[in-house]
Amino acid sequence: MKRVLIVGAGKGGSALLKMVYAADQMEVAAVVDHDQTAKGIQLAASYQIPTAMDWREWIERDIDMVIEATGDELVLDELMQSSTGKTVVIPGSIAYLVASLLDEKDRLLRRIKMQMVNQRLILNNIRDGMIVIDNQEIVQFVNKSTERIMEIPRKTFEGKPITDFISQSRLPHVLHSREKEVNQQLILENGKRLITTRIPLINADNALIGAFAVFKDITEVMTLAEENTDLTEIKTMLEAIIYSSDEAISVVDENGVGIMINPAYSRITGLKETDIVGKPASVDISEGESMHMKVLKTRRPVRGVRMKVGITKRDVLVNVAPVIVDGKIKGSVGVLHDVSEIKALTNELKRARQIIRNLEAKYTFDDIIGNSQEMRLALEQVKVGARTPAIVLLRGESGTGKELFAHAIHNESDRKHNKFIRVNCAAIAESILESELFGYEEGAFSGAKRGGKRGLFEEANMGSIFLDEIGELSLHMQAKLLRVLQENEIVRVGGTDPIPINIRIIAATNVNLEKAIMKKTFREDLYYRLNRLPIYIPTLRERITDLPLLIDHMIEKINQDYGRNVRSISKEALQQLKEYHWPGNVRELENVIGRAMIYMDMNEEEIKLGHIPDLDTVKTRSDTFDSVTQQQALSLQHAVEDYEKRYIEQIYQQNNYNKTKTAKVLGVSIRNLYYKMKKYQIEKSNLQDFS
């Protein structure tokens, strides 16, 4: 390391001190100046370098180089004469030149640094991304836009191969080919699409020092371009779909002016496109209000609104939905359904449901509505029964849902994939009940089919059979049924050979079997066979807390059946229903809710007190109990039967003695009504005389 003595601590000396102090191969031995306040002296002190006023004190101290920075020729001559052969003396003029060059260097460095800062600032603020790599494919620079587009921090890029981040990058190819690639498309791993230009970096000596890429994110631009390109095609496609649809469709703008209808709409209404397009939305309505205008006003869809449209006043159901774009309503779309077609389809559906209903159980325990303690107890018992092969006897008043339980038992059992046969013992005439249950052989009676016929017990083999109203069987049929239960076999009418069967029997009755045994109308031995697993289904008045749940379920079901949009029931209406004693149980409740919804306006969404039909009830339960107390001589069964008789008579009169309408209102089959009227000896002439 060379030891240097600097003589002169002025401006030039100070610059030389900085230069020598920064050099790795030089050591400043001392700084000399007769002015101890000179800038160089103070700088040396900050560097902890010795200072002196006379250079003669240091010239003999193993100095390799003396830099004369005073600019005085006498001082230079003295230094030259006093220095030994190994000491090099550098004149002041050269020192000044070096100092000037150093100052110029500093200025240039500051300018270069400023330019670099400005360049980096510009590159970081342009929207285009930029990546620079060296000739080893290592990333040297990325700007902020690259960080945004790539969704990777800049620090992660620098110092790593470009292919670590962009596996399909062609910058390495540009390095090897030395040819630029302009406006090339690239899709990143994050799904963004880029347009990029790649250029090799070649210096003045034609040496390859790296490459850089400039790219623009065109994802949004391309998406918008594709949307604009496809807009006409989409519009044409949508129009084709609407025109080819069998559904009658009309479209209006935000002002309710017609802009499109399809041929199906013209077919139903009898109106042409010129009659609708450009005209108010109400132009096609014969009876009712415009649902298009209602939807545009409320911004809410409407469904199942009944009205008459067109020249022929065609009866239709209307569904209308708003068209909302970016929170603004742009129009509405309406679909018409011809009620006559719906009726035909509904009748077909009912027939199909009837067929299916006779072959399989359609309800499960999830369909049984109720959280009351009484209903939970019944459900627990019936679930236990469903998992055993034992005969289940469902007991409870008419309308409590015994058939629903029977369906659920079958679907919960290991026989659920086999048939479920329903038999209403009271609805089939005694003369044909035996042949229906057990079947018959060819020639068993006049009119018998050739080859005979399988009975319902045979049809239910390996499955379940539900014997409803079993208490209404005659003693003769009870004896036949007892044999089936004991022997697990049947004999067809007119036949002699027993046919083995494997079935699960579920029976139901609303009759007091114990009392029937006392009256000798029900066999005691059959009773003990059937009563192994009796389950009592609570009446609606015993589980009145389930009323809100049941009503909600019925509203939803009737909405689907009748195309309504009812959502709830008012507190006042619910309270009145809670105060009623419900002799007809859940069946009567469904009848009341159905009648209320039928007479509601199509646009109403809440069942109000005024919608509830006259229940003809005792106002409070205490009144009911008082009435029972006054008739202590009557049993509960007699009281129920007496009320049932009077209720049937009342409905029969209200429907002008029309039995079909009466059965519909009561929610029972016509056969069951005939049976009840015969049981209670209800005749039109008697009622007219009584009235």
Side-chain angles (χ1 to χ4, degrees), residues 478-497:
Q478 291 177 34
K480 292 274 188 179
L481 178 59
L482 181 61
R483 176 178 173 80
V484 175
L485 300 182
Q486 289 176 336
E487 307 298 336
N488 290 324
E489 62 184 23
I490 58 102
V491 177
R492 290 182 179 179
V493 175
T496 57
D497 297 329

Side-chain angles (χ1 to χ4, degrees), residues 445-592:
F445 49 83
S446 60
K449 290 183 179 179
R450 180 176 297 180
K453 178 186 175 184
R454 286 158 54 96
L456 295 176
F457 279 117
E458 286 183 76
E459 291 289 344
N461 195 29
M462 305 307 295
S464 303
I465 188 166
F466 173 48
L467 303 176
D468 196 9
E469 298 196 44
I470 198 169
E472 305 297 337
L473 287 176
S474 67
L475 290 172
H476 171 71
M477 287 304 302
Q478 291 177 34
K480 292 274 188 179
L481 178 59
L482 181 61
R483 176 178 173 80
V484 175
L485 300 182
Q486 289 176 336
E487 307 298 336
N488 290 324
E489 62 184 23
I490 58 102
V491 177
R492 290 182 179 179
V493 175
T496 57
D497 297 329
I499 301 172
I501 56 172
N502 179 3
I503 58 175
R504 166 71 173 275
I505 293 181
I506 306 168
T509 182
N510 60 0
V511 172
N512 187 329
L513 295 181
E514 293 80 8
K515 186 174 181 180
I517 292 171
M518 294 175 63
K519 290 182 176 181
K520 304 298 183 181
T521 59
F522 199 85
R523 294 178 62 106
E524 189 172 3
D525 47 2
L526 178 58
Y527 170 79
Y528 290 124
R529 281 281 181 181
L530 294 173
N531 204 44
R532 288 180 177 176
L533 185 56
I535 297 172
Y536 176 73
I537 312 300
T539 62
L540 182 54
R541 58 184 171 274
E542 290 174 319
R543 59 183 188 110
I544 203 70
T545 55
D546 289 333
L547 199 64
L549 289 175
L550 288 166
I551 291 173
D552 288 343
H553 175 73
M554 291 172 183
I555 288 174
E556 182 179 351
K557 178 177 179 294
I558 296 170
N559 276 337
Q560 294 175 355
D561 290 342
Y562 292 100
R564 295 303 181 97
N565 195 33
V566 178
R567 300 182 183 275
S568 61
I569 184 169
S570 69
K571 293 181 179 179
E572 296 79 7
L574 179 60
Q575 184 59 38
Q576 177 168 330
L577 296 181
K578 285 182 176 180
E579 293 174 357
Y580 184 48
H581 62 283
W582 298 109
N585 293 296
V586 178
R587 185 182 293 123
E588 185 182 3
L589 173 63
E590 185 171 13
N591 177 269
V592 169

Side-chain angles (χ1 to χ4, degrees), residues 4 363 383 635:
V4 179
Y363 301 114
K383 286 179 180 179
S635 67

Side-chain angles (χ1 to χ4, degrees), residues 29-53:
V31 177
V32 178
D33 198 296
H34 65 275
D35 182 3
Q36 288 297 297
T37 63
K39 182 178 180 181
I41 295 297
Q42 295 177 2
L43 183 61
S46 67
Y47 291 160
Q48 296 183 347
I49 296 174
T51 61
M53 297 181 66

Side-chain angles (χ1 to χ4, degrees), residues 23 160 226 357 564 598 673:
K160 295 180 181 178
E226 290 174 357
R357 190 176 183 185
R564 295 303 181 97
I598 288 171
L673 177 62

